[in-house]
Amino acid sequence: MTSILGISAFYHDAAAALLIDGEIVAAAQEERFTRKKHDAAFPSHAVAYCLESAGLAASDVDYVGFYDKPLQKFDRLLATYLRFAPRGFSSFREAMPVWLREKLDTRRAVRRGLGGHTKNRIVFAEHHVSHAASAFFPSPFDEAAVLTMDGVGEWATSTIGHGRGSSLELVLEQRFPHSLGLLYSAFTYYTGFRVNSGEYKLMGLAPYGEPRFVDRILDNLVDLRPDGSFRLEQRFFDYCTGLRMTSAEFDRLFEGPPRRPDEPTTQRVMDIAASIQAVTDEIVLATARHAHEITGARNVCLAGGVALNCVSNGRLLREGPFERVWVQPAAGDAGGALGVALHIWHELLGRPRTPDPADSMRGALLGPAYDAATIAAELDALDARYEHIGDEAELLRRVSEALASGRVVGWFHGRMEYGPRALGGRSILADPRSPEMQSRLNLKTKFRESFRPFAPVTLAEHVHEWFDVPAGLESPYMLLVAPVAEGRRVAADESLFGMERLKQRRSEIPAVTHVDYSARLQTVTEARNGRYARLVRAFGERTGCPVLVNTSFNVRGEPIVATPSDAYRCFRATDIDLLVVDDYLLDREAQPASPEFDAARHRAQFAPD
């Protein structure tokens, strides 16, 4: 038996993943255990979970992989500061203590995190090698082009690769400071959202605007070539040396300073969001076309933070040169932990690979699950009132009935998801037919901006009946945007602009239909998703609509819930009506009064994002 533990840490979304003889056994992000969103510390809790799931001690692990090369990253950091010196001294002074104390000697930090064990062989892979491996090796393809795009690894910001069998070659790269991820993050910052977490908001805001700044971006900021490579005009940016993303020149170009988070979201801000999304789409499409030309592959795999932009992914699927698109569900830095482990297994150890036609990610349900005794003990400790329903058919009947009557359900079942999306393990579910549901979920359940869209989950066998996609299309990881089917749409007043468009019903499933008639789609099957898919089916049989709202089980500023206790606390801090924890059913109206949970609700409403 060969065990490989992959680790990502110290930058963003620390995580651990474990392979046993090449099989993905477990993977999780540290934030779920520590409850610190995007926790970047050494993932000691995630490592402990992975090892425990396989009955291993740290000393039993044959190989430990780290997802990037810190010395090369430090080389890039120093070279950049020297190039721009003396400008950037404040940023340099802030960055150096962390590097000298922790990041520079990552090997020692990893050994210390593993309890001081020294026999483990530690392998460092380049950042984009880890991303590419996470994209290709678990994919269902024997051959594929591979695209990785993010902010920056060591020096690379994007790569084109070619995967065949158990080999993977990166053939082209774009280098820092020219980065699609940093370009998008610069606009995230400028529009008033937090870098490395607010990019989803920028993507969700874009359909409210008109892309009237596209030419301004391409004429001034981005020199885009036909092959998808580009150069960023650095006088408009400050991320190389400063403590902000954009410069005064950027402010002048877009006629004002960055929006403060507490300022209104104006039509201008929406138009800027629409414009950078359109430019991002064009760069992704141009890069994909070039990847197709140089590899000749029919399929493509994606990873890196930009691969979480499901709008661009949807356009790539519809307009790109590839027959099929597969995206690593943990496409960001967390997925690097899995990628480096797979890189060691297939490329360094030379082990063969047989692609799984459904992919080898196990539905991304790779985190912890809890047995009945543990669930009951955690709920009892919180003085929760619950029913145990051992008959699944009866449980699904009651839950689907509650959903059909407009109740919001917290759904906690089986293993926790790996990656940023809730996929039916830790989800909040609701009826998509309700015109009020989007507003209710945003304002009273998630405590977030009213414009944020929600995703639909539907049975794969019915997806083409509700969305404009080919019959049988699968989108198991909620990483593709697709149009709502023409026959399900409702005519809207297209003379309205901005947030006025939010108030209009646009389809038979308005709670998951964005203002441009799009939806971030998840498809499920019973073979892959089990009880979750059976709930969607039960709801469809009851209502004629085999679609549910699926959003992550958390509130603004918090990670997705991990434990039954987390789920109950979130349930009590929001207006979720019903909580299902495996076979346990909890009704809000049956719970005891509690000043503690009333205070938690108040904190959740005003928590920073």
Side-chain angles (χ1 to χ4, degrees):
M1 181 182 80
T2 302
S3 56
I4 305 173
L5 179 67
I7 293 171
S8 63
F10 307 136
Y11 303 102
H12 188 69
D13 281 338
L18 182 67
L19 302 186
I20 302 292
D21 290 338
E23 182 181 354
I24 305 170
V25 172
Q29 291 139 273
E30 185 70 1
E31 66 166 17
R32 307 292 170 83
F33 303 94
T34 63
R35 311 310 300 156
K36 299 175 184 176
K37 195 168 185 179
H38 303 305
D39 194 344
F42 183 85
S44 55
H45 299 84
V47 166
Y49 154 68
C50 288
L51 295 176
E52 182 182 355
S53 68
L56 297 176
S59 57
D60 298 324
V61 174
D62 296 298
Y63 297 89
V64 176
F66 192 79
Y67 81 129
D68 71 2
K69 294 191 172 183
L71 292 178
Q72 289 187 20
K73 186 167 286 189
F74 189 62
D75 173 67
R76 186 252 304 164
L77 198 67
L78 290 180
T80 302
Y81 283 127
L82 286 171
R83 175 185 170 191
F84 289 95
R87 189 159 61 93
F89 179 73
S90 296
S91 175
F92 175 82
R93 184 175 55 192
E94 184 173 301
M96 283 304 102
V98 178
W99 270 95
L100 296 175
R101 182 177 64 249
E102 182 176 77
K103 296 180 181 180
L104 201 55
D105 194 353
T106 299
R107 185 181 300 274
R108 179 181 296 177
V110 169
R111 291 203 188 283
R112 186 171 60 244
L114 294 175
H117 299 289
T118 57
K119 87 166 198 175
N120 307 110
R121 285 164 281 188
I122 301 179
V123 175
F124 291 83
E126 289 188 6
H127 187 93
H128 279 263
V129 167
S130 296
H131 274 323
S134 78
F136 177 63
F137 290 129
S139 79
F141 311 134
D142 184 61
E143 180 186 10
V146 181
L147 298 184
T148 69
M149 300 178 175
D150 65 4
V152 61
E154 293 82 16
W155 281 97
T157 62
S158 300
T159 68
I160 294 175
H162 192 183
R164 286 167 284 198
S166 58
S167 68
L168 175 60
E169 179 186 10
L170 300 188
V171 295
L172 285 176
E173 72 175 25
Q174 174 115 0
R175 288 170 70 87
F176 182 84
H178 310 293
S179 163
L180 180 55
L182 291 174
L183 173 67
Y184 203 85
S185 290
F187 278 87
T188 300
Y189 165 84
Y190 186 75
T191 51
F193 304 119
R194 183 176 296 181
V195 172
N196 289 330
S197 64
E199 285 77 8
Y200 298 129
K201 298 181 185 183
L202 187 65
M203 183 177 67
L205 186 64
Y208 292 94
E210 298 297 325
R212 62 187 179 93
F213 294 103
V214 166
D215 289 344
R216 194 175 303 188
I217 293 171
L218 293 176
D219 290 344
N220 294 276
L221 270 63
V222 183
D223 178 14
L224 177 60
R225 286 77 181 273
D227 64 359
S229 64
F230 60 90
R231 297 187 66 81
L232 298 182
E233 177 52 63
Q234 287 302 300
R235 65 190 175 92
F236 291 101
F237 302 95
D238 203 25
Y239 55 74
C240 283
T241 58
L243 298 175
R244 43 181 271 165
M245 294 296 295
T246 58
S247 70
E249 286 285 325
F250 193 106
D251 297 352
R252 282 190 285 273
L253 182 65
F254 290 99
E255 302 159 9
R259 183 182 77 91
R260 294 196 310 269
D262 59 346
E263 289 182 328
T265 307
T266 63
Q267 186 63 51
R268 169 178 158 275
V269 170
M270 299 176 208
D271 292 347
I272 289 172
S275 301
I276 189 54
Q277 181 61 52
V279 170
T280 299
D281 294 347
E282 290 308 312
I283 293 173
V284 170
L285 284 166
T287 306
R289 286 191 288 266
H290 189 57
H292 183 261
E293 289 172 4
I294 63 178
T295 66
R298 296 184 301 164
N299 305 309
V300 65
C301 304
L302 307 179
V306 175
L308 294 171
N309 192 308
C310 51
V311 174
S312 293
N313 296 346
R315 283 197 61 183
L316 176 58
L317 179 66
R318 294 189 302 274
E319 304 172 34
F322 296 102
E323 294 176 13
R324 295 174 66 190
V325 176
W326 190 85
V327 185
Q328 164 56 237
D333 278 4
L338 176 61
V340 67
L342 291 164
H343 167 71
I344 292 169
W345 177 254
H346 289 297
E347 297 194 271
L348 301 189
L349 300 181
R351 301 303 175 89
R353 168 178 174 265
T354 302
D356 185 327
D359 80 43
S360 60
M361 287 296 298
R362 298 187 173 187
L365 300 171
L366 296 166
Y370 297 85
D371 61 30
T374 301
I375 293 170
E378 291 198 16
L379 294 177
D380 288 340
L382 293 165
D383 197 26
R385 305 291 189 263
Y386 55 81
E387 295 179 69
H388 181 268
I389 303 176
D391 180 352
E392 184 186 87
E394 173 64 11
L395 179 69
L396 296 184
R397 182 192 70 78
R398 294 196 37 194
V399 176
S400 61
E401 184 179 81
L403 288 163
S405 68
R407 304 190 82 190
V408 175
V409 174
W411 181 260
F412 182 111
H413 180 68
R415 299 184 72 174
M416 182 177 69
E417 301 90 342
Y418 177 48
R421 309 294 194 210
L423 302 169
R426 309 288 186 269
S427 290
I428 296 173
L429 306 175
D431 186 347
R433 302 170 302 161
S434 166
E436 295 80 29
M437 190 58 72
Q438 186 210 20
S439 176
R440 176 188 170 186
L441 288 173
N442 270 326
L443 300 179
K444 296 184 178 181
T445 305
K446 304 284 282 187
F447 304 123
R448 67 186 197 181
E449 299 90 346
S450 62
F451 67 82
R452 302 275 293 276
F454 288 99
V457 54
T458 188
L459 297 168
E461 65 204 69
H462 292 297
V463 64
H464 62 287
E465 300 167 8
W466 292 85
F467 303 94
D468 187 11
V469 297
L473 174 87
E474 292 201 14
S475 177
Y477 303 123
M478 203 189 291
L479 286 167
L480 295 172
V481 161
V484 173
E486 289 280 353
R488 303 290 181 180
R489 298 184 185 185
V490 174
D493 183 356
E494 298 302 335
S495 67
L496 299 178
F497 289 94
M499 293 301 174
E500 293 178 339
R501 302 170 68 190
L502 179 61
K503 304 171 186 177
Q504 289 198 305
R505 184 171 180 266
R506 293 180 171 268
S507 78
E508 296 176 29
I509 44 175
V512 294
T513 304
H514 210 1
V515 294
D516 60 351
Y517 293 101
S518 68
R520 179 161 47 94
L521 182 62
Q522 183 194 9
T523 61
V524 292
T525 64
E526 288 195 36
R528 185 196 296 264
N529 304 98
R531 179 179 288 187
Y532 179 47
R534 290 190 287 275
L535 176 62
V536 178
R537 186 178 301 281
F539 181 81
E541 290 171 351
R542 179 175 292 275
T543 64
C545 175
V547 183
L548 286 172
V549 178
N550 171 25
T551 188
S552 56
F553 199 159
N554 65 331
V555 295
R556 180 179 62 184
E558 289 192 357
I560 295 172
V561 301
T563 67
S565 298
D566 295 338
Y568 185 74
R569 291 189 181 97
C570 188
F571 165 59
R572 294 301 306 271
T574 66
D575 73 341
I576 294 172
D577 298 299
L578 211 64
L579 173 62
V580 182
V581 183
D582 281 0
D583 295 338
Y584 293 86
L585 183 69
L586 298 89
D587 195 305
R588 163 170 295 284
E589 296 174 359
Q591 303 311 306
S594 169
E596 174 193 351
F597 290 121
D598 291 341
R601 179 181 177 86
H602 179 79
R603 288 195 300 273
Q605 287 176 299
F606 297 99
D609 192 352

